[in-house]
Amino acid sequence: MPPLLEIDNLYTQFFTSAGTVRAVDGISYVVEEGETVAIVGESGCGKSVSALSILRLIPDPPGRIVEGSIRFMGRELLQLSDEEIRHVRGREIAMVFQEPMTSLNPVLTIGRQLTETLTHHLDMDDDAARARALELLDLVGISDPDRRLGQYPHHLSGGMRQRVMIAMALCCEPKLIIADEPTTALDVTIQAQILELMKELTRNMGVALIIITHNLGVVARYADRVNVMYAGKIIERGTALDIYHSPAHPYTLALLRSVPRMDQPRKEKLDPVEGQPPDLTTLDEGCPFRPRCRYVVDRCAEENPLLEPVSEGHLSACWEKDRLRGPLKEAS
Amino acid sequence: MYKYIVKRVLLMIPTLIGAAVLVFFILRLIPGDVCELRLAGSGLYADPAEIELCRTNLGLNDPIPVQFADFVWGFFILDLGDSMWTGKPITFEIGLRFQLSLQVAFMATFVAVLISIPLGTISAIKQDTWIDYVVRVFSIAGIAIPSFWLGIMIILGLLIATQKFLGTPWMPPIEYVSPLEDPLGNMAQLIWPSVATGYRYSAVATRMTRSALLEVLREDYIRTARAKGLLEKVIINRHALKNSLLPVVTVIGIEFAFLMGGLVVTEQVFNLNGLGKLFVESVLNNDYTMTQALVMIVVAVFVFTNFVVDLFYAWLDPRIRYG
Ligand SMILES: Nc1ncnc2c1ncn2[C@@H]1O[C@H](COP(=O)(O)OP(=O)(O)O)[C@@H](O)[C@H]1O
Ligand SMILES: [Mg+2]
């Protein structure tokens, strides 16, 4: 049986006056039915673009998916007509965006924004859609749903709005939800609530989840599998356990040092990843992480390493991946 | 919402007072007065005593504060008084002209809204296609071409076309008739200036619609709507247009108010007896009462139009409605 979603060798680029931005530069990964997959990386590494590419929501111009394949339940999404992809959007694959403050339409009621998906995709009449909307608001933990339906987004707090976004995503019981940094814009205390909610709902409803984040701490608790992205490429992949306890890429290591860890003594201060993220318009044939890398060798400038196994199901794109896993353990 | 309306209405008062003070004092800074002009204006000799008598009769010799109080009080009880130049009641002088200007302003607005919103929308949706280029040329031309020149071209075009096809040249009628009496005759006169001014107006509004819509289409909530799989026409009509209309409504309001008092040259071209022409004459004649009345009327139209625009805002945007 084929996986739910299979992305193969995907390239998405933006053609701008400053040059071609190689935002997604040949990524491949799969999502199995019902599982939670994380995509982690610094801001600007192509996470959002890779997510938007799945639903073909890349603004064109300036962007375009130039190569690759995205198979969803056996269908090639990149081959679908505009009409066909619209039936996938919101119905089979739904999205939750980063900015709850701006992702809801300020001039339409919450009710309208919830029910329009239902009437559009599921041909519900107004009463049925309203009943379902009430049910959904209740499900995502919004109190007094009857009143909320008539309210506008500015009446709601950020956390509430993100709950509404989640309710919207769940509307048509999709097979897959893509959540693009769903908690980055929220208060720390709310973040955990929202993540728990998503975890619980997707598990109960058997929905697969792609969760995008720049916070490895989030990943450890919520993801079955993790893809670490750097400069448009996946540079390490493994289970949450692999990534957290035996990282095999210097970038992942650096990321781990930048988040607080429960399983280690508290350090004086966290190290952000040193150096600047690379300019995606001027990538060369070498490894894009080498200017910031502590383990750099001559070969890194000549050839960009491919994603290759270090153990069963754990892959890394680093020439020094084997050396990395030995001495580092001792050092930490 | 109720509070919002009350606030807007109260805000009109200081604007009107400010305008009254300004026009009253600025007029009196202009050298000469209506009596000199009337009696000795064309270089004739006039008896100073006669001029003095005229001044006394018109109240120009009263102390300034008394004159000001008279003016404000008159406006307050809606008695605008008589024209200092013609001696006839100002309401009589203004009546028909106001009706004419109001009608032209309404018709031009109608033309402009009818053209600009669909055109601006198509242009934004089809950005950088030939449709967009055609619309942009149309609207840039509209902004570049003065209304009076377009008016002249329209009149010439009418003359030439009627000469050619009917045998006799035809010009729009000059005499104003109320649309209630003779709708056809009324239209035959006013449709042309409405089109001439409406074109420029629609050009401004088209560009505004286009750029506002383009901006809204880049908003996150439009991406959300796309991710929901909605039809493109639903995304435009339900999610984008209402948000992008805010600046368009502002432009429409400003242009409408401008048409009520600023149509001097176009009125000349079409030989219309509108407010603009009366305005110029009253200033040239130092006809204080008339100029004051006209300024206050135009300001009142501006203020009222703004109020209507604010109501539209509240209707379009719940953040204002509940703010
Ligand atoms: N509409 C666009 N036009 C040009 N460049 C873009 C556009 N959207 C994204 N990019 C570029 O693509 C790269 C990846 O962006 P993104 O996927 O948003 O990063 P993130 O990992 O933070 O989500 C960035 O370098 C960004 O500048
Ligand atoms: Mg992003």
PDB file of all heavy atoms in Angstrom, chain A residues 42-49 98 180-181 212 214, chain B residues 223, ligand 2:
ATOM      1  N   GLU A  42      15.586  26.597  10.563  1.00  0.00           N
ATOM      2  CA  GLU A  42      15.567  28.030  10.854  1.00  0.00           C
ATOM      3  C   GLU A  42      14.608  28.746   9.914  1.00  0.00           C
ATOM      4  O   GLU A  42      14.269  28.242   8.845  1.00  0.00           O
ATOM      5  CB  GLU A  42      16.946  28.641  10.577  1.00  0.00           C
ATOM      6  CG  GLU A  42      18.025  28.269  11.517  1.00  0.00           C
ATOM      7  CD  GLU A  42      19.344  28.817  10.990  1.00  0.00           C
ATOM      8  OE1 GLU A  42      19.713  28.523   9.842  1.00  0.00           O
ATOM      9  OE2 GLU A  42      19.984  29.544  11.736  1.00  0.00           O
ATOM     10  N   SER A  43      14.282  29.949  10.294  1.00  0.00           N
ATOM     11  CA  SER A  43      13.450  30.796   9.462  1.00  0.00           C
ATOM     12  C   SER A  43      14.129  31.004   8.099  1.00  0.00           C
ATOM     13  O   SER A  43      15.337  31.202   8.025  1.00  0.00           O
ATOM     14  CB  SER A  43      13.276  32.130  10.181  1.00  0.00           C
ATOM     15  OG  SER A  43      12.443  32.942   9.443  1.00  0.00           O
ATOM     16  N   GLY A  44      13.353  30.899   7.035  1.00  0.00           N
ATOM     17  CA  GLY A  44      13.886  31.160   5.700  1.00  0.00           C
ATOM     18  C   GLY A  44      14.499  29.960   5.010  1.00  0.00           C
ATOM     19  O   GLY A  44      15.047  30.083   3.918  1.00  0.00           O
ATOM     20  N   CYS A  45      14.389  28.769   5.612  1.00  0.00           N
ATOM     21  CA  CYS A  45      15.033  27.611   4.989  1.00  0.00           C
ATOM     22  C   CYS A  45      14.108  26.904   4.003  1.00  0.00           C
ATOM     23  O   CYS A  45      14.499  25.915   3.391  1.00  0.00           O
ATOM     24  CB  CYS A  45      15.525  26.638   6.045  1.00  0.00           C
ATOM     25  SG  CYS A  45      14.204  25.768   6.885  1.00  0.00           S
ATOM     26  N   GLY A  46      12.885  27.380   3.842  1.00  0.00           N
ATOM     27  CA  GLY A  46      12.012  26.802   2.823  1.00  0.00           C
ATOM     28  C   GLY A  46      10.897  25.924   3.367  1.00  0.00           C
ATOM     29  O   GLY A  46      10.231  25.229   2.604  1.00  0.00           O
ATOM     30  N   LYS A  47      10.650  25.972   4.660  1.00  0.00           N
ATOM     31  CA  LYS A  47       9.610  25.124   5.245  1.00  0.00           C
ATOM     32  C   LYS A  47       8.226  25.489   4.717  1.00  0.00           C
ATOM     33  O   LYS A  47       7.481  24.632   4.254  1.00  0.00           O
ATOM     34  CB  LYS A  47       9.612  25.267   6.786  1.00  0.00           C
ATOM     35  CG  LYS A  47      10.946  24.955   7.431  1.00  0.00           C
ATOM     36  CD  LYS A  47      10.891  25.052   8.944  1.00  0.00           C
ATOM     37  CE  LYS A  47      10.513  26.418   9.494  1.00  0.00           C
ATOM     38  NZ  LYS A  47      11.510  27.466   9.277  1.00  0.00           N
ATOM     39  N   SER A  48       7.903  26.781   4.794  1.00  0.00           N
ATOM     40  CA  SER A  48       6.568  27.189   4.349  1.00  0.00           C
ATOM     41  C   SER A  48       6.384  26.925   2.865  1.00  0.00           C
ATOM     42  O   SER A  48       5.323  26.471   2.433  1.00  0.00           O
ATOM     43  CB  SER A  48       6.349  28.673   4.619  1.00  0.00           C
ATOM     44  OG  SER A  48       6.391  28.925   5.992  1.00  0.00           O
ATOM     45  N   VAL A  49       7.402  27.229   2.096  1.00  0.00           N
ATOM     46  CA  VAL A  49       7.290  27.028   0.651  1.00  0.00           C
ATOM     47  C   VAL A  49       7.070  25.557   0.348  1.00  0.00           C
ATOM     48  O   VAL A  49       6.243  25.194  -0.504  1.00  0.00           O
ATOM     49  CB  VAL A  49       8.549  27.574  -0.072  1.00  0.00           C
ATOM     50  CG1 VAL A  49       8.519  27.201  -1.538  1.00  0.00           C
ATOM     51  CG2 VAL A  49       8.645  29.077   0.108  1.00  0.00           C
ATOM     52  N   GLN A  98       0.504  30.144  10.253  1.00  0.00           N
ATOM     53  CA  GLN A  98       1.293  30.650  11.367  1.00  0.00           C
ATOM     54  C   GLN A  98       0.629  31.809  12.099  1.00  0.00           C
ATOM     55  O   GLN A  98       0.664  31.882  13.316  1.00  0.00           O
ATOM     56  CB  GLN A  98       2.653  31.092  10.820  1.00  0.00           C
ATOM     57  CG  GLN A  98       3.545  31.766  11.841  1.00  0.00           C
ATOM     58  CD  GLN A  98       4.929  32.004  11.293  1.00  0.00           C
ATOM     59  OE1 GLN A  98       5.220  31.663  10.151  1.00  0.00           O
ATOM     60  NE2 GLN A  98       5.795  32.574  12.090  1.00  0.00           N
ATOM     61  N   ASP A 180       1.564  25.024   9.621  1.00  0.00           N
ATOM     62  CA  ASP A 180       2.798  25.778   9.399  1.00  0.00           C
ATOM     63  C   ASP A 180       3.067  26.694  10.597  1.00  0.00           C
ATOM     64  O   ASP A 180       2.454  27.733  10.728  1.00  0.00           O
ATOM     65  CB  ASP A 180       2.655  26.607   8.112  1.00  0.00           C
ATOM     66  CG  ASP A 180       3.962  27.291   7.747  1.00  0.00           C
ATOM     67  OD1 ASP A 180       4.940  27.163   8.508  1.00  0.00           O
ATOM     68  OD2 ASP A 180       4.004  27.959   6.696  1.00  0.00           O
ATOM     69  N   GLU A 181       3.953  26.275  11.447  1.00  0.00           N
ATOM     70  CA  GLU A 181       4.276  27.010  12.678  1.00  0.00           C
ATOM     71  C   GLU A 181       3.008  27.492  13.391  1.00  0.00           C
ATOM     72  O   GLU A 181       2.835  28.682  13.622  1.00  0.00           O
ATOM     73  CB  GLU A 181       5.182  28.210  12.361  1.00  0.00           C
ATOM     74  CG  GLU A 181       6.386  27.808  11.526  1.00  0.00           C
ATOM     75  CD  GLU A 181       7.609  28.655  11.803  1.00  0.00           C
ATOM     76  OE1 GLU A 181       7.697  29.220  12.900  1.00  0.00           O
ATOM     77  OE2 GLU A 181       8.473  28.723  10.921  1.00  0.00           O
ATOM     78  N   ILE A 212       5.122  21.999  11.031  1.00  0.00           N
ATOM     79  CA  ILE A 212       6.314  22.760  10.683  1.00  0.00           C
ATOM     80  C   ILE A 212       6.682  23.636  11.860  1.00  0.00           C
ATOM     81  O   ILE A 212       5.810  24.249  12.474  1.00  0.00           O
ATOM     82  CB  ILE A 212       6.025  23.608   9.436  1.00  0.00           C
ATOM     83  CG1 ILE A 212       5.797  22.676   8.255  1.00  0.00           C
ATOM     84  CG2 ILE A 212       7.149  24.580   9.168  1.00  0.00           C
ATOM     85  CD1 ILE A 212       5.395  23.388   7.007  1.00  0.00           C
ATOM     86  N   HIS A 214      10.252  25.829  13.972  1.00  0.00           N
ATOM     87  CA  HIS A 214      11.687  26.040  14.051  1.00  0.00           C
ATOM     88  C   HIS A 214      12.196  25.660  15.447  1.00  0.00           C
ATOM     89  O   HIS A 214      13.320  25.924  15.807  1.00  0.00           O
ATOM     90  CB  HIS A 214      12.061  27.478  13.674  1.00  0.00           C
ATOM     91  CG  HIS A 214      11.454  28.510  14.562  1.00  0.00           C
ATOM     92  ND1 HIS A 214      10.515  29.400  14.107  1.00  0.00           N
ATOM     93  CD2 HIS A 214      11.621  28.773  15.864  1.00  0.00           C
ATOM     94  CE1 HIS A 214      10.149  30.175  15.107  1.00  0.00           C
ATOM     95  NE2 HIS A 214      10.804  29.817  16.189  1.00  0.00           N
TER      96      HIS A 214
ATOM     97  N   ARG B 223      -4.954  33.734   1.293  1.00  0.00           N
ATOM     98  CA  ARG B 223      -4.278  32.445   1.177  1.00  0.00           C
ATOM     99  C   ARG B 223      -5.082  31.382   1.926  1.00  0.00           C
ATOM    100  O   ARG B 223      -5.244  30.261   1.445  1.00  0.00           O
ATOM    101  CB  ARG B 223      -2.862  32.561   1.743  1.00  0.00           C
ATOM    102  CG  ARG B 223      -1.992  31.364   1.438  1.00  0.00           C
ATOM    103  CD  ARG B 223      -0.620  31.525   2.043  1.00  0.00           C
ATOM    104  NE  ARG B 223      -0.722  31.751   3.485  1.00  0.00           N
ATOM    105  CZ  ARG B 223       0.299  32.108   4.250  1.00  0.00           C
ATOM    106  NH1 ARG B 223       1.487  32.302   3.722  1.00  0.00           N
ATOM    107  NH2 ARG B 223       0.133  32.278   5.539  1.00  0.00           N
TER     108      ARG B 223
HETATM  109 MG    MG C   2       7.464  29.959   7.352  1.00  0.00          MG
END
